[in-house]
Amino acid sequence: MTGTGAPPSLRVSRLAYAYPDGTQALFGVDLTIRRGERVALLGPNGAGKTTLVMHLNGILTAGHGTVEVAGLPVRKDTLLEIRRRVGLVFQDPDDQLFMPTVRDDVAFGPANLGVRGDELDRRVRDALTRVGMLDVIDRPPHHLSFGQRRRVAVATVLAMEPEILVLDEPSSNLDPASRRELADILKNLDVTVLMVTHDLPYALELCERSLILSDGVIAADGPTRSLLADADLLAAHRLELPYGFAVPALQQ
Amino acid sequence: MSAGHHHRLYLPGDTPVHLLPPQCKLVAVAAFAVAVVATPRERLWAFAVHALLLTVVAAVARVPAGFILRRMVIEVPFVLFAVAIPIIGTGARTEVLGMSLSVPGMWAAWNILAKASLGVVASILLAATTEPRAMLLGAERLRLPPLLVQIASFMLRYMDVILDQMRRMRVARESRAFVARDLRQAPVLARSAGALFIRSYERGERVHLAMLSRGYTGEMPITRDLSASGRDWGMAAVLPCLAAATAVLSWSLT
Amino acid sequence: MHVPDGFFDLPVSVGAGAVAVAGLAVCLRGARRELDDRTAPMAGLVAAFIFAVQMLNFPVAAGTSGHLLGGALAAILVGPYTAVLCVSVVLLVQGFFFADGGLTALGVNITLMAMVTAIVGWGVFRLITRSAPGSRAVIVAASFVAALVSVPASALVFTLLFWIGGTAPIDVASVAAAMGGVHVLIGIGEGLITSLTVSSVLAVRPDLVYGARGLAKRLVLRTAEGFEAPLVAAPATGEAPVGRIRPLLIGGGLVAILLAGVVSFYASGSPDGLERVAADKGLNAHEEEHGLSDAPLADYGVKGIEDERLSVGLAGVAGVGITVLAGGAVFYTVRRRRRHRAAV
Ligand SMILES: Nc1ncnc2c1ncn2[C@@H]1O[C@H](COP(=O)(O)OP(=O)(O)OP(=O)(O)O)[C@@H](O)[C@H]1O
Ligand SMILES: [Mg+2]
């Protein structure tokens, strides 16, 4: 799991960012994610999670501080390479799907990377098969249900075959079976994963490590198990385990 | 003046006209418009030929007459203007139904009405048989600067967003008994214009960010083959060539 | 104002087409500096927005309505070069997709509605913001004046083209009177829409207003414990370099001088009967396109040459005069308020 010597998948240091209207959302974020790790990013509404995630493939540019992806700094001239490496699934699938058909939408990313012809077709079908959406390939995305759109949104990113997968609340609005299937997809991928979520049991199931982002700074960083067992820490950052749920570690 | 914009412009179909590559159709329609404008206004028969040519195209493309007529509403402001020309025009006058009309004015009105209508119908047929997206790809193939094509494609993408938002805001305004009556209401309209702008931008911006995050660099990847064969060009050339022949004939036959 | 096929003769259409192509080529080069991958969709949005707002006809005087031309608004939001491209795209799309405006008249339409409005609008805007730079109020006021001036300017160029090669035998005086007079009023609507749009965009997303760039934001660093350390201002996009404004100002100035020349040539025709023509033609004439059965129309076209020249001059002078007065008033008020505030 550890690529000794190789640079970490993600390194963010002293990252601060203010939106153009003046709202400052990030106040100096530091984090490092090693190759192959699956990490959960937790935090209350408005903590800056989405804002942070948007910096990881250069959609927002740091107001201060730096972001490095596998040793490559995110800069204007490195953007295409950065976006080849980092796949980002947006919080709202409606923002992610914009082409007339599911097929065009899934093909959009790899086509931008220069993939054409049979290889493009293979990638599209492969990605849709993985999320179980192959049968809607010729339908317009806006006619799908929310959960189906979310799965297609994941497929659009999988088709780009990124090294690092960043997902912003992937499990929200999914029915339990879809939530499970998505977890299986993520577990079987051989890539670094950073997953924003409010779903603490999901984080516990998928990620050994978690970060808590609160008020634009990293407030805690450690094994998911021990973070979730710390009731005071959770309460301080408006995080709650679902009713009746107990961290398995405590029961053992 | 553009009150008649309907949003449904494209009539799906698989007629030979629909299947022609968009770049051929764009060139054909532009050339046809030039031929029409170059036809001298006194040759009434030539305009009849032009109209006949368009009728044939409409029939082949299976575009119903009602559709074309409805879309021709776009012309109304200039029809009004054209009707006014004989009344306010200068030059020799004649009595028609008790009104004193200017003779050159009537020729000018006819000239504008006939040429504008033929141009409008040609454009309507083009839009009815060509998907907007394909039209942009065609424009790109015709070496229209990519920046213009890019702006146009964003424009089409935003259009839905904006029209949708506009409809909602109009409903909201009118459900509160707002009617635009005179200039005093302009600030209300203007303020909703401002809100409209921000709302549409922020929606569109998120979509654009999603496109960027999937490697978009300003050009839509072309995954469809759009090249035109000599046969395509030949087919497309029929309309403008016949129109041009008519124009030339009308100049030479006196 | 969308000119259809057959309205102007072939030489004017072709000439305007050449002007439009040359103008677009210049703007394509200039726009590269104004646009990056973030602002290209902004240009698309501005185009779509102008298109959509053109459907909102605002009532002007009784029976007449006008719609946004949008060149000034676009220039302030995305910069002058990109603005010309935006409005041209609107016109191309209207011509090809919506059959609005003739295809052979595209050159005329682009010249009138994209180039003249954007160049005049931006020139006026920069003149005002440069002499009284800084605050939001100035930018909003400057937008109003810029948009207001851009419309009659465009109408005057229309009249000029009509005089050179209009196909309808209407005396240029009537056209000038109708266009000039009504378009000053339409200009007020344009000014309102433009300034309110710019002001609401400024309030929420100042970063989206090209004409208001250079507002730096201070960032703050914080630790998890809440200790705050202010940072120096983040690198700002910076003020538009002065060099690229000059050609536009000169271009705008030339257009203005040309117009003024034409107008004064006509205005010198005859000095009598000023008031009546102003009342009858300058301000009411446009109505006649709508209410055809009105009695005074019949003798409208048989007026002598003297009156024609007179009313062209009048329309021009009235238009320019009202515009300058309105603009001056706004400018003066803003200046005074600023000075007043500075003095307190
Ligand atoms: N486009 C924007 N313009 C201005 N402020 C914004 C914008 N987007 C977010 N913010 C602000 O930035 C802060 C962080 O927002 P962000 O979307 O990153 O939160 P989040 O952690 O993703 O929240 P959630 O769990 O609700 O998704 C919030 O205070 C929010 O109001
Ligand atoms: Mg979020």
Side-chain angles (χ1 to χ4, degrees):
Chain A
M1 180 188 278
T2 52
T4 26
S9 274
L10 283 172
R11 176 184 286 152
V12 176
S13 56
R14 308 265 288 163
L15 177 65
Y17 179 80
Y19 279 99
D21 68 348
T23 317
Q24 188 169 346
L26 299 179
F27 291 83
V29 171
D30 291 290
L31 63 89
T32 304
I33 295 176
R34 286 179 303 278
R35 225 157 259 244
E37 264 192 307
R38 276 203 302 269
V39 179
L41 181 61
L42 315 174
N45 287 140
K49 303 183 295 295
T50 299
T51 312
L52 171 59
V53 154
M54 300 274 230
H55 280 85
L56 301 182
N57 72 351
I59 288 178
L60 298 179
T61 20
H64 175 85
T66 55
V67 178
E68 275 176 34
V69 176
L72 188 67
V74 176
R75 276 197 321 253
K76 221 181 160 106
D77 54 324
T78 59
L79 278 185
L80 197 60
E81 180 56 27
I82 295 287
R83 286 166 186 164
R84 188 191 296 272
R85 293 182 187 180
V86 182
L88 179 54
V89 179
F90 281 62
Q91 188 162 1
D92 183 351
D94 289 339
D95 294 342
Q96 186 134 13
L97 305 174
F98 44 80
M99 297 290 277
T101 67
V102 167
R103 180 199 303 272
D104 288 345
D105 222 314
V106 178
F108 180 83
N112 277 326
L113 302 181
V115 182
R116 291 285 184 280
D118 291 343
E119 167 68 3
L120 185 61
D121 202 48
R122 182 196 67 74
R123 286 217 198 178
V124 170
R125 294 179 160 276
D126 193 44
L128 284 172
T129 313
R130 274 163 127 172
V131 297
M133 286 282 107
L134 191 58
D135 44 335
V136 300
I137 186 163
D138 284 315
R139 292 183 51 193
H142 52 274
H143 287 174
L144 303 178
S145 80
F146 189 91
Q148 289 173 320
R149 270 178 279 161
R150 149 117 327 123
R151 288 155 166 243
V152 173
V154 172
T156 63
V157 172
L158 290 182
M160 296 179 73
E161 302 184 348
E163 291 166 32
I164 303 162
L165 189 58
V166 179
L167 305 109
D168 199 349
E169 296 187 31
S171 64
S172 62
N173 279 304
L174 290 187
D175 62 29
S178 311
R179 183 171 168 272
R180 157 119 329 280
E181 285 160 15
L182 181 63
D184 292 339
I185 296 168
L186 294 180
K187 275 189 199 153
N188 290 328
L189 287 176
D190 185 26
V191 298
T192 310
V193 174
L194 178 67
M195 179 176 80
V196 175
T197 188
H198 292 292
D199 185 343
L200 301 187
Y202 209 53
L204 183 63
E205 178 188 349
L206 281 172
C207 309
E208 314 85 77
R209 179 178 159 211
S210 288
L211 307 166
I212 296 180
L213 185 69
S214 189
D215 277 339
V217 290
I218 297 289
D221 179 354
T224 311
R225 207 166 278 263
S226 55
L227 291 190
L228 296 197
D230 186 340
D232 292 339
L233 180 70
L234 293 190
H237 300 294
R238 299 174 52 84
L239 296 170
E240 283 179 19
L241 288 165
Y243 178 74
F245 184 87
V247 181
L250 299 180
Q251 293 173 325
Q252 278 168 12
Chain B
M1 283 189 182
S2 318
H5 288 317
H6 284 265
H7 200 47
R8 263 183 52 79
L9 307 170
Y10 174 65
L11 283 181
D14 55 358
T15 68
V17 184
H18 283 83
L19 295 181
L20 272 182
Q23 61 269 37
C24 305
K25 284 190 269 187
L26 280 168
V27 172
V29 168
F32 175 79
V34 171
V36 167
V37 170
T39 306
R41 61 190 184 186
E42 290 80 10
R43 305 285 173 278
L44 301 187
W45 63 268
F47 290 96
V49 174
H50 291 318
L52 186 71
L53 289 174
L54 286 183
T55 315
V56 171
V57 173
V60 173
R62 301 223 184 86
V63 180
F67 178 87
I68 298 177
L69 288 176
R70 236 175 298 126
R71 297 261 349 263
M72 280 177 77
V73 174
I74 206 94
E75 253 199 301
V76 163
F78 270 92
V79 170
L80 292 177
F81 182 76
V83 173
I85 298 174
I87 304 174
I88 64 177
T90 51
R93 304 212 134 234
T94 175
E95 284 285 311
V96 179
L97 299 172
M99 281 208 290
S100 160
L101 298 179
S102 138
V103 176
M106 290 201 297
W107 275 117
W110 154 251
N111 182 50
I112 289 175
L113 269 185
K115 292 180 177 174
S117 306
L118 288 169
V120 163
V121 172
S123 306
I124 292 173
L125 287 175
L126 171 68
T129 57
T130 318
E131 260 182 293
R133 210 176 277 272
M135 195 113 77
L136 290 181
L137 291 175
E140 208 165 23
R141 288 204 74 110
L142 290 175
R143 303 272 152 78
L144 195 70
L147 192 54
L148 286 184
V149 177
Q150 201 188 334
I151 293 177
S153 63
F154 276 113
M155 170 176 171
L156 287 180
R157 181 137 348 107
Y158 277 114
M159 200 101 87
D160 285 319
V161 178
I162 290 192
L163 290 179
D164 191 47
Q165 301 268 15
M166 249 172 97
R167 208 170 309 118
R168 277 187 235 169
M169 286 168 61
R170 203 197 50 234
V171 170
R173 261 200 323 268
E174 284 172 4
S175 67
R176 278 173 271 166
F178 172 85
V179 185
R181 218 171 290 107
D182 57 45
L183 206 58
R184 274 166 301 168
Q185 262 91 44
V188 179
L189 291 185
R191 249 194 303 281
S192 32
L196 176 69
F197 189 86
I198 297 283
R199 285 201 212 174
S200 319
Y201 182 77
E202 302 214 318
R203 265 222 64 197
E205 185 185 38
R206 287 197 299 274
V207 172
H208 179 243
L209 294 181
M211 294 171 69
L212 288 183
S213 84
R214 282 197 269 153
Y216 177 73
T217 50
E219 271 165 60
M220 285 312 242
I222 297 174
T223 47
R224 248 181 303 176
D225 183 33
L226 256 187
S227 54
S229 65
R231 218 182 125 253
D232 292 330
W233 283 110
M235 284 255 293
V238 171
L239 173 74
C241 285
L242 288 178
T246 312
V248 170
L249 265 182
S250 66
W251 274 106
S252 45
L253 298 179
T254 30
Chain C
M1 206 177 190
H2 291 69
V3 177
D5 286 320
F7 195 87
F8 286 109
D9 62 15
L10 216 48
V12 166
S13 304
V14 171
V19 170
V21 168
L24 284 181
V26 171
C27 291
L28 279 166
R29 284 196 50 203
R32 271 193 216 121
R33 274 174 301 181
E34 289 167 0
L35 285 172
D36 58 33
D37 63 344
R38 309 291 308 257
T39 43
M42 179 70 182
L45 173 73
V46 168
F49 181 76
I50 289 172
F51 184 96
V53 176
Q54 287 194 347
M55 293 193 242
L56 274 181
N57 280 15
F58 46 86
V60 183
T64 313
S65 67
H67 68 71
L68 189 81
L69 294 183
L73 174 65
I76 295 163
L77 288 176
V78 290
Y81 294 109
T82 317
V84 173
L85 300 184
C86 285
V87 184
S88 303
V89 164
V90 171
L91 294 168
L92 283 168
V93 169
Q94 280 170 335
F96 278 99
F97 293 61
F98 294 88
D100 195 4
L103 297 185
T104 58
L106 266 173
V108 173
N109 282 326
I110 288 178
T111 307
L112 288 177
M113 286 193 275
M115 298 188 15
V116 174
T117 55
I119 292 173
V120 172
W122 179 250
V124 171
F125 179 82
R126 283 303 291 169
L127 271 179
I128 298 177
T129 49
R130 260 225 277 179
S131 44
S135 80
R136 249 185 73 184
V138 173
I139 290 173
V140 173
S143 316
F144 179 81
V145 180
L148 173 55
V149 176
S150 72
V151 179
S154 168
L156 285 179
V157 178
F158 174 91
T159 310
L160 179 68
L161 289 183
F162 188 85
W163 176 59
I164 300 174
T167 55
I170 306 176
D171 35 85
V172 102
S174 313
V175 175
M179 293 299 285
V182 167
H183 281 81
V184 171
L185 290 180
I186 293 180
I188 295 174
E190 175 107 8
L192 280 174
I193 292 190
T194 302
S195 58
L196 283 167
T197 303
V198 168
S199 122
S200 42
V201 176
L202 263 185
V204 189
R205 292 289 301 267
D207 60 308
L208 296 185
V209 181
Y210 179 87
R213 299 185 320 166
L215 305 166
K217 272 256 104 67
R218 287 178 81 81
L219 286 173
V220 168
L221 279 193
R222 209 195 269 158
T223 61
E225 288 73 43
F227 172 75
E228 299 208 353
L231 285 167
V232 284
T237 358
E239 186 70 24
V242 179
R244 82 170 97 142
I245 287 133
R246 196 157 296 147
L248 271 166
L249 281 181
I250 293 171
L254 281 179
V255 169
I257 290 167
L258 192 68
L259 289 174
V262 171
V263 166
S264 57
F265 165 72
Y266 273 97
S268 62
S270 165
D272 64 336
L274 285 171
E275 308 90 294
R276 207 198 64 218
V277 182
D280 283 356
K281 291 190 170 175
L283 301 170
N284 299 341
H286 202 70
E287 260 184 76
E288 289 149 14
E289 292 177 13
H290 300 260
L292 300 176
S293 51
D294 277 12
L297 298 185
D299 63 334
Y300 198 75
V302 258
K303 297 269 185 200
I305 272 289
E306 306 297 306
D307 274 18
E308 282 174 35
R309 294 203 164 166
L310 186 63
S311 53
V312 176
L314 258 179
V317 171
V320 173
I322 294 175
T323 311
V324 167
L325 279 181
V330 173
F331 186 45
Y332 180 72
T333 324
V334 170
R335 276 293 278 268
R336 243 183 51 159
R337 224 203 257 155
R338 283 170 60 82
R339 217 174 285 147
H340 186 68
R341 213 181 284 150
V344 172

